[in-house]
Amino acid sequence: MKVNSGLEVHGKVAATFLASSIAIIMIGIFTYMRKQLSWLELYPPAGTFSGIWFYTYIIWIVVWIISFVILRHKESVWKFRTWLITFLASIAVSTILIEASLKWSLVFD
Amino acid sequence: MLLHGFLFTFTLMTIAGFVGLLAFSSEQRKGALNTLKVLALITTFFVFLLNITGAYGYVYYRLPQPDSPRTIIKDTLPIAHEILFETMEYLSLIGPIWATMITSLVWHFNEKIFTNNTIRNAMLFLIILAALYALAIAYTGVVPTRIAPLR
């Protein structure tokens, strides 16, 4: 599957990519730091998972609204390929952060 | 958690329909675009429901009792909880964001999704990768639920 690097991206689409990428990275950061951030325990029966869920989704929606308002009239914001790479990189970073926060020592000990 | 499992199956089915339609149909075929939009919406709805039912079950999973699934799993095979279940728990949070992004792109690009090869290929790539990611996450949930199923 070849993706043409020259395709221009409208501001509305850029806002979607930007908000999604930031929210996904925040999931990784919050998960990695969940033991230090006690305020993530929003609903104690669900532990810090509740806060990670709630705050990242709030960040996602807020960033989406703000970036949409700012970028909605822009005809071109970066290339399509750049946004795709940014989005995939955010998933990779978040996955690495989440996995790095787990007790892998149990496997290797 | 039967509903959770069913929802995952439905999600995979709608993704398969989406990929099939996008790969083998064209904008000339009457209704293809509308079907694609509806499939994208249904998939996103299922992914959100999957996430919500998973979070609901998680509360019962981690009850501080000697017979809770988490306690049983940690006593039987600690890595099944510490690595596999935790991987599923946190990585699955990405799903609804990913699904919503794809749906929003489908609604934004409209017929260009069939006429512009760059967009079509990118969408196919994004959704196939999302399906593989979801399958990998689901696989990490198999071992813990084999040890102590959540009812």
Side-chain angles (χ1 to χ4, degrees):
Chain A
M1 281 179 226
K2 198 176 173 186
V3 175
N4 176 12
S5 60
L7 185 74
E8 302 286 339
V9 171
H10 193 276
K12 290 176 186 171
V13 177
T16 308
F17 272 116
L18 182 69
S20 304
S21 304
I22 289 174
I24 288 170
I25 287 178
M26 288 315 293
I27 290 172
I29 292 171
F30 282 156
T31 305
Y32 187 78
M33 300 183 72
R34 67 187 183 281
K35 287 178 181 125
Q36 287 93 57
L37 307 174
S38 56
W39 48 267
L40 284 174
E41 202 167 303
L42 212 57
Y43 177 59
T48 51
F49 176 76
S50 55
I52 297 169
W53 196 32
F54 180 78
Y55 290 119
T56 50
Y57 284 22
I58 290 292
I59 289 170
W60 173 39
I61 292 164
V62 169
V63 172
W64 200 351
I65 292 168
I66 292 171
S67 55
F68 183 86
V69 169
I70 294 170
L71 302 172
R72 71 186 189 281
H73 296 305
K74 293 205 184 278
E75 286 300 315
S76 172
V77 183
W78 291 4
K79 305 285 183 195
F80 196 76
R81 193 176 191 167
T82 314
W83 280 115
L84 259 186
I85 291 168
T86 306
F87 177 73
L88 295 175
S90 74
I91 292 172
V93 169
S94 190
T95 304
I96 290 166
L97 284 172
I98 289 169
E99 292 304 319
S101 75
L102 304 180
K103 287 184 185 166
W104 284 96
S105 56
L106 286 171
V107 178
F108 301 111
D109 282 350
Chain B
M1 293 310 284
L2 201 61
L3 179 65
H4 192 62
F6 274 132
L7 282 168
F8 182 69
T9 312
F10 290 149
T11 305
L12 284 184
M13 285 163 69
T14 53
I15 288 176
F18 185 96
V19 170
L21 195 64
L22 189 55
F24 303 112
S25 192
S26 68
E27 88 284 11
Q28 280 87 21
R29 195 165 153 185
K30 201 178 174 185
L33 180 62
N34 286 338
T35 312
L36 200 68
K37 284 179 171 180
V38 172
L39 271 177
L41 272 181
I42 292 171
T43 308
T44 306
F45 178 69
F46 281 151
V47 173
F48 268 96
L49 269 185
L50 194 63
N51 210 244
I52 291 165
T53 52
Y56 178 76
Y58 181 62
V59 174
Y60 297 95
Y61 170 84
R62 71 191 302 275
L63 282 174
Q65 293 168 355
D67 60 344
S68 77
R70 185 171 75 163
T71 314
I72 296 168
I73 292 167
K74 281 180 103 168
D75 289 344
T76 313
L77 183 67
I79 61 163
H81 168 76
E82 301 290 355
I83 308 292
L84 298 174
F85 193 90
E86 298 260 280
T87 293
M88 176 179 70
E89 183 188 332
Y90 295 112
L91 285 185
S92 64
L93 287 171
I94 294 173
I97 297 172
W98 199 335
T100 308
M101 195 192 79
I102 289 173
T103 303
S104 133
L105 292 178
V106 171
W107 282 74
H108 174 83
F109 287 126
N110 273 314
E111 66 278 357
K112 274 191 202 163
I113 208 163
F114 289 114
T115 55
N116 187 317
N117 274 338
T118 300
I119 295 169
R120 183 204 283 245
N121 288 343
M123 295 303 292
L124 277 172
F125 176 71
L126 276 175
I127 195 142
I128 291 171
L129 191 66
L132 292 174
Y133 200 83
L135 275 171
I137 293 171
Y139 186 72
T140 62
V142 171
V143 176
T145 49
R146 282 278 169 191
I147 297 170
L150 189 59
R151 307 249 178 240

